[in-house]
Amino acid sequence: VKAGPALLFGAYPAALSTVPGGLHWVRFLFFNLFLLGIDSAFALTEAVLSVLKDSTIGASIPQQKLVTGTIAIGFLFGLMYTTDAGLILLDVIDFYINFIML
């Protein structure tokens, strides 16, 4: 199995289901992934909001509107990855950031 989603969503659950109490370990794995996703969303939102609030433009905008706008923009950009072409788009953006921008 190659690295990536096939390893995480295929091989790990299959391996964890063979240990005693395997169903509970699989549940813990996916619960952990859920918590990692929530934590990443909070961290990314907080980083963007800190930069915006420290700028001259963001200082004049009320905090509630700034937070709502940041979350809405993040949600709209995230919708691209939920389509059938989401993994292809992720590969394109990953290649662009890691090999062209760096």
Side-chain angles (χ1 to χ4, degrees), residues 9-61:
F9 295 109
Y12 281 158
L16 286 175
S17 65
T18 62
V19 299
L23 182 61
H24 298 296
W25 288 111
V26 173
R27 288 177 183 157
F28 286 139
L29 172 70
F30 287 109
F31 182 66
N32 188 23
L33 290 174
F34 173 74
L35 291 179
L36 286 172
I38 296 293
D39 182 56
S40 297
F42 275 115
L44 183 62
T45 303
E46 186 67 28
V48 170
L49 287 173
S50 294
V51 170
L52 289 176
K53 283 303 278 186
D54 290 343
S55 68
T56 55
I57 297 170
S60 62
I61 300 172

Side-chain angles (χ1 to χ4, degrees), residues 74-90 93:
F75 176 76
L76 292 175
F77 278 122
L79 281 178
M80 295 185 299
Y81 298 106
T82 62
T83 64
D84 290 336
L87 288 176
I88 297 169
L89 181 64
L90 180 65
I93 291 176

